[in-house]
Amino acid sequence: MDAKLNYVLQLADTCLIHAQRLGEWCGHAPVLEEDLALSNMALDLLGQARALLTLAGALEGAGRDEDQLAFLREERDYRNIVLVELPNAAASPSDGSGGRDFALTTLRNAALSLWLELLYERLQASADTELAGIAAKSLKEVRYHRQHSSDWAVRLGDGTAESKARMQAALALLWPYFNELFAAAGVDGTGPAWRELEADWRARWATLMQEAGLSLPRDSAMQPQGHLGVHSEHLGHLLAPMQYLQRAYPGGAW
Amino acid sequence: MDLAAARTRLAAVPDPEIPAISLVELGIVRELRETGAGLEVVLTPTYSGCPATELIADDVRAALAEFGRVTVTMQRSPAWSTDWITPEGREKLQRYGIVPPQCSAEQAIRVVPKLRCPRCDGGRTEQLSRFGSTACKSTWRCIECGEPFEYFKPI
């Protein structure tokens, strides 16, 4: 695959799958305000994914639009990082949680939105004017996501014994997957290599975790490879309900 | 073609989600021009995921239908900013019960503003959530009159 197309898809798919996971909270969040917040952030990310997938379709030059890329690609063609496809809870849905853990969602969203903020800041300087425009627009949105999810991370980490324990458990679970945030290669003139974000991200993350009273786990050598198309068992289960309508009724449109 | 009449007609198209103000007052209309084939309207979407985007394009096409073929173009860059909401637009938002942005987009993120209640003008208010019924607003309440209200977030 063309390196530039690959780069755009890695970001587009990460936004799309993250939006799907946030969207699963619609109607289920702990309070109404958070229900709206999670849905709003999911919508922003979905909008960003749409713009990026449209650009990817143009780069590919095969006549595929955003919908065909989102709904008709196979699991292995997806380039999102594994972190975003993990379910919203570590435990099984049968434990009464409905398969959703607000601590895990909050922590992942804080990590992702900080990462997106750093990435979009740099992408604004892309020589590709379309990509630069998408980045400038999206940056405004993810700053609100980062602020909101960071506030919650501190509130829960520095909260009750129960909320702290759940945040610490979420951090332990997600920690190895954060490695993939710095894995994808850059493309000259298009965007930075993700490893260029690592020093900034780790410094700001450490500050946030300290404020939240959470301790960082030991470094992990795990290298997830969703950005190369190698996914966990969870992505297929996410794509099946997301894609079934378009596959059952090919070409169906609003 | 009477471009001035088309401009007047366009100025009357309300935002579908906040019908108190028009698309022009919201600052999302970049251009209205005559092309060989008819009219072209250039719009800047507010938020990437705003679900009203398609509806807005339909409303514009319907409002200008009598002037011939209408093409609506979405232009993402430069990104829309609440700094582009017109003074009339701000006033109408306030009257409608939505506090307009209190600072420029650049200063927006760092501080939670001190807002006055748009209903009773009370000064003791608090933010309930940074997100509201749409992505562009946050949710507040007035401690003095007890009423909830919304704030148009600077972006």
Side-chain angles (χ1 to χ4, degrees), chain A residues 40 130 137 141 144 147 151, chain B residues 46 48 76 109 130 132 154:
Chain A
N40 270 318
E130 182 66 15
K137 173 105 206 108
E141 297 162 356
Y144 275 107
Q147 194 187 37
D151 283 358
Chain B
T46 53
S48 301
R76 193 177 296 107
I109 298 291
R130 204 169 275 114

Side-chain angles (χ1 to χ4, degrees), chain A residues 13-21 78 80 84-85 235 238:
Chain A
D13 291 342
T14 296
C15 289
L16 176 63
I17 303 303
H18 186 35
Q20 283 296 114
R21 284 298 185 212
Y78 267 80
N80 60 280
V84 293
E85 72 200 37
L235 183 63
L238 182 150

Side-chain angles (χ1 to χ4, degrees), chain A residues 79-192:
Chain A
R79 289 292 180 264
N80 60 280
I81 58 175
V82 174
L83 174 66
V84 293
E85 72 200 37
L86 299 175
N88 279 316
S92 76
S94 57
D95 69 352
S97 70
R100 286 174 298 270
D101 177 10
F102 189 64
L104 188 143
T105 295
T106 299
L107 197 82
R108 171 165 58 190
N109 197 22
L112 248 301
S113 52
L114 172 59
W115 180 81
L116 282 170
E117 183 178 9
L118 296 172
L119 183 60
Y120 284 140
E121 277 173 4
R122 288 160 177 79
L123 261 189
Q124 291 182 100
S126 175
D128 185 305
T129 52
E130 182 66 15
L131 194 55
I134 294 170
K137 173 105 206 108
S138 308
L139 176 60
K140 288 164 168 256
E141 297 162 356
V142 299
R143 276 181 179 153
Y144 275 107
H145 303 188
R146 194 258 306 150
Q147 194 187 37
H148 186 74
S149 54
S150 306
D151 283 358
W152 267 107
V154 172
R155 190 166 165 184
L156 294 173
D158 194 22
T160 64
E162 168 75 9
S163 72
K164 187 188 193 69
R166 285 173 69 164
M167 287 297 273
Q168 195 65 61
L171 182 58
L173 181 100
L174 298 179
W175 182 250
Y177 293 95
F178 288 166
N179 289 343
E180 199 182 0
L181 293 169
F182 316 108
V187 179
D188 281 344
T190 297

Side-chain angles (χ1 to χ4, degrees), chain B residues 29-62:
Chain B
V29 179
R30 294 275 70 73
E31 222 165 330
L32 167 66
R33 60 180 164 231
E34 222 175 325
T35 65
L39 280 174
E40 186 188 15
V41 181
V42 181
L43 301 176
T44 306
T46 53
Y47 278 70
S48 301
C50 180
T53 307
E54 277 84 12
L55 184 58
I56 288 173
D58 282 350
D59 287 353
V60 166
R61 275 190 287 267

Side-chain angles (χ1 to χ4, degrees), chain B residues 72-129:
Chain B
V72 175
T73 310
M74 287 292 172
Q75 178 187 305
R76 193 177 296 107
S77 189
W80 178 79
S81 164
T82 40
D83 298 348
W84 297 351
I85 302 177
T86 66
E88 301 76 41
R90 280 162 206 273
E91 219 168 279
K92 287 183 186 173
L93 281 174
Q94 176 78 33
R95 277 206 301 275
Y96 190 62
I98 300 172
V99 180
Q102 298 293 299
C103 63
S104 78
E106 283 307 306
Q107 311 158 287
I109 298 291
R110 272 163 281 278
V111 285
V112 176
K114 292 287 293 172
L115 299 184
R116 298 198 77 84
C117 173
R119 302 182 204 280
C120 76
D121 200 39
R124 287 191 301 137
T125 61
E126 63 178 353
Q127 180 177 266
L128 295 177
S129 173

